[in-house]
Amino acid sequence: MIRVMVVATSPVVRAGLSAVVTTNPRLTVVGSASDLDVLAIEVGQLQPDVVLVDLSGNFQQAVWEKLLVIQEQQYPLGIIVIVEELDSIDLETALRSGIRGILPNISTELEIVAAVEAIAFGLLVLHPNAVELLSIREKVVTNPVQTLTPREIEVLGMLGSGLGNKAIAKRLHISEHTVKFHLSSIFQKLSVSSRTEAVAVGVRLGLIML
């Protein structure tokens, strides 16, 4: 049996997704949660193979960092997120945070069940509409100040002070893996490939005061 945990703010959505999962005799719902904080508390005890997270109408960029922290504190989870607008998702950031499946909220019951099974077997699942967003294109940063999150700006400032990953992790009380996650996101958003370039761009944009 594939053990599934359902996370959704709405109790109606939780019940609906749980009902969808149980249409397949190979899947069983071991628990549900109203938000990621509850998931962090209960996931260790329930030990699901796959976590189905509904983000429709409740998406925030900080969710990727929260999911990454949950996996670091527990164990690698097969996480599928259901979103309202695929083009509002930074797919590269989502995948780096450990997400293994991304579906729109218009997905059919069969698609959701198939995705859960695929994730349980270690596969990556993207809806065809999401795959289109991964097409190769030139990345243009129109306003990096708004693009970077407050935490990323904080990490960038520490890079400017010459701190290494371990020192940054200690100062922010996070893991080195999470620091690397932030650095990867910063490099992507600023279109740079090294710490030196990131600092130089940060200084030029006024994000770092030396």
Side-chain angles (χ1 to χ4, degrees):
M1 295 290 287
I2 297 173
R3 299 166 59 83
V4 182
M5 188 168 180
V6 175
V7 181
T9 302
S10 166
V12 174
V13 174
R14 288 200 302 274
L17 289 176
S18 296
V20 169
V21 170
T22 54
T23 59
N24 187 318
R26 294 186 295 275
L27 309 181
T28 182
V29 177
V30 296
S32 64
S34 58
D35 56 45
L36 297 181
D37 293 330
V38 176
L39 171 66
I41 294 172
E42 298 184 356
V43 69
Q45 178 180 355
L46 297 175
Q47 297 285 304
D49 300 305
V50 177
V51 178
L52 186 57
V53 182
D54 176 70
L55 297 177
S56 300
N58 190 38
F59 174 72
Q60 298 177 347
Q61 289 293 338
V63 71
W64 307 134
E65 183 178 345
K66 285 187 176 182
L67 289 172
L68 180 64
V69 171
I70 289 173
Q71 295 192 81
E72 288 182 341
Q73 294 176 343
Q74 302 294 338
Y75 60 94
L77 297 166
I79 299 176
I80 304 176
V81 294
I82 297 177
V83 299
E84 192 167 0
E85 298 290 342
L86 286 171
D87 57 6
S88 68
I89 301 299
D90 184 334
L91 293 178
E92 293 182 19
T93 300
L95 295 175
R96 284 200 304 273
S97 70
I99 302 303
R100 289 296 169 260
I102 301 176
L103 297 175
N105 61 358
I106 59 172
S107 298
T108 66
E109 294 185 4
L110 289 177
E111 287 174 335
I112 293 174
V113 169
V116 170
E117 285 196 287
I119 298 300
F121 287 113
L123 300 179
L124 180 67
V125 176
L126 292 178
H127 190 273
N129 293 345
V131 174
E132 293 178 5
L133 298 177
L134 289 175
S135 58
I136 299 176
R137 60 186 181 275
E138 183 179 0
K139 296 178 181 177
V140 179
V141 180
T142 56
N143 194 337
V145 177
Q146 293 182 2
T147 301
L148 294 182
T149 66
R151 176 50 64 89
E152 288 168 351
I153 292 176
E154 191 174 14
V155 171
L156 182 60
M158 292 183 183
L159 284 185
S161 299
L163 297 181
N165 290 4
K166 182 176 292 185
I168 294 174
K170 184 176 181 180
R171 183 166 297 187
L172 296 178
H173 304 291
I174 58 178
S175 70
E176 288 187 60
H177 188 66
T178 301
V179 173
K180 291 178 181 178
F181 170 76
H182 288 310
L183 290 179
S184 178
S185 181
I186 291 170
F187 288 1
Q188 176 195 338
K189 291 178 179 179
L190 298 183
S191 297
V192 300
S193 58
S194 71
R195 299 164 71 96
T196 302
E197 284 183 288
V199 171
V201 173
V203 171
R204 188 169 70 246
L205 295 172
L207 297 172
I208 298 176
M209 302 301 292
L210 296 179

